[in-house]
Amino acid sequence: VVIKSSGMHAVEDYIMSRYQMYWQVYFHPVSRSAEVILTKILHRARELYRAHYTFQYEPTPFITFFEGNPSLAQYIALDERVLLTYFGWWQEEEDPILSDLCERFLNRRLFQFASFDPATDNERFQTLKRLFSDVGLHPDYYLVTDASSDLPYDFYRPGEPSERVPIYLQMQDGSLRELSRASEIVDAISGKRRVDYKMYYPEDWLLRESKHCPKCRTILQHLQP
């Protein structure tokens, strides 16, 4: 991509606004919480299907996905309308995990989040998994780690498998200069992937049960910053 050097400030503004938007909107913990629950709903439905669970409403549009061989047409057909219809039905399922996750998603009763560093928090995470199991919360569905990452701009690295198209500035003398070499702002974030880790969990349930469950209170203490 080649732009005139006079347009550099507009490109800088675009890259920085994209960087900020991703973290404030798409990677906001509340948005991520909804996505975590959405993912876990589908994981639970797939697990139940593979265990030959009898659904009240047969998950026909999902079967090829559960079996790992969907067609492009089936992928396109599985839109928001279909998902929300089934989530509404699945609220009435006898499986308590599927029912609860669907109710949470539809009523925006989302998971709370806590900081998590995979480099230092593994022991804490394993302790929490055991405690979640002890109080009746399946840790695979109710203690979820999530990593959000974004690479706002990367400079050109010829020959790499993930080779990116560079942005060149056309200088007044007609020569070309790669954007990060001409902009201190872009250079400061070039090639720097930002990753944010979180743990998601049902704080509302833990708070309610903590009134008579000592282990729930212990869990909440472990989840404090």
Side-chain angles (χ1 to χ4, degrees):
V1 178
V2 178
I3 63 172
K4 292 188 180 296
S5 58
S6 58
M8 182 178 71
H9 294 307
V11 176
E12 288 177 335
D13 290 344
Y14 168 76
I15 291 174
M16 294 307 297
S17 65
R18 174 185 179 274
Y19 184 59
Q20 294 169 354
M21 180 184 68
Y22 265 66
W23 287 100
Q24 293 174 3
V25 180
Y26 299 116
F27 293 151
H28 191 283
V30 174
S31 299
R32 298 301 301 163
S33 178
E35 187 168 332
V36 162
I37 294 177
L38 170 64
T39 301
K40 289 303 176 181
I41 289 172
L42 298 176
H43 284 179
R44 184 60 177 177
R46 181 183 63 186
E47 181 177 308
L48 292 173
Y49 173 79
R50 291 178 174 177
H52 306 292
Y53 172 85
T54 301
F55 288 87
Q56 295 183 40
Y57 301 96
E58 187 68 18
T60 304
F62 300 88
I63 290 176
T64 56
F65 292 88
F66 295 161
E67 295 178 347
N69 58 351
S71 67
L72 176 60
Q74 290 167 330
Y75 176 81
I76 294 173
L78 192 63
D79 57 16
E80 181 181 7
R81 173 183 54 85
V82 175
L83 288 171
L84 293 180
T85 298
Y86 271 86
F87 291 176
W89 290 341
W90 287 347
Q91 287 184 100
E92 308 303 322
E93 287 291 344
E94 294 182 1
D95 179 73
I97 295 177
L98 182 61
S99 175
D100 176 65
L101 292 175
C102 287
E103 187 276 329
R104 285 180 175 276
F105 185 84
L106 292 175
N107 292 303
R108 303 296 292 176
R109 196 162 57 88
L110 303 178
F111 289 165
Q112 184 56 273
F113 59 90
S115 60
F116 174 70
D117 184 347
T120 60
D121 284 344
N122 183 61
E123 183 176 346
R124 177 171 69 124
F125 183 67
Q126 295 303 322
T127 298
L128 283 167
K129 285 180 67 175
R130 291 192 295 270
L131 288 168
F132 269 61
S133 295
D134 290 346
V135 301
L137 289 173
H138 197 314
D140 289 349
Y141 295 97
Y142 290 102
L143 182 65
V144 185
T145 60
D146 177 72
S148 305
S149 65
D150 184 37
L151 184 64
Y153 180 79
D154 199 10
F155 49 84
Y156 187 42
R157 296 185 175 95
E160 287 198 357
S162 58
E163 183 176 306
R164 289 171 173 260
V165 177
I167 298 177
Y168 286 111
L169 294 176
Q170 186 177 49
M171 312 307 288
Q172 291 185 355
D173 62 1
S175 63
L176 299 180
R177 192 176 183 189
E178 197 272 320
L179 179 62
S180 66
R181 302 294 186 263
S183 167
E184 293 182 2
I185 294 175
V186 175
D187 180 59
I189 61 172
S190 292
K192 296 177 176 63
R193 183 176 295 278
R194 179 179 173 184
V195 182
D196 183 53
Y197 296 94
K198 291 284 190 297
M199 280 189 296
Y200 291 88
Y201 62 95
E203 183 185 52
D204 56 346
W205 189 94
L206 290 167
L207 287 172
R208 184 180 70 243
E209 297 299 316
S210 66
K211 297 174 183 177
H212 53 80
C213 173
K215 285 189 176 181
C216 291
R217 293 194 290 272
T218 301
I219 289 173
L220 290 168
Q221 291 171 359
H222 276 287
L223 289 166
Q224 295 304 310

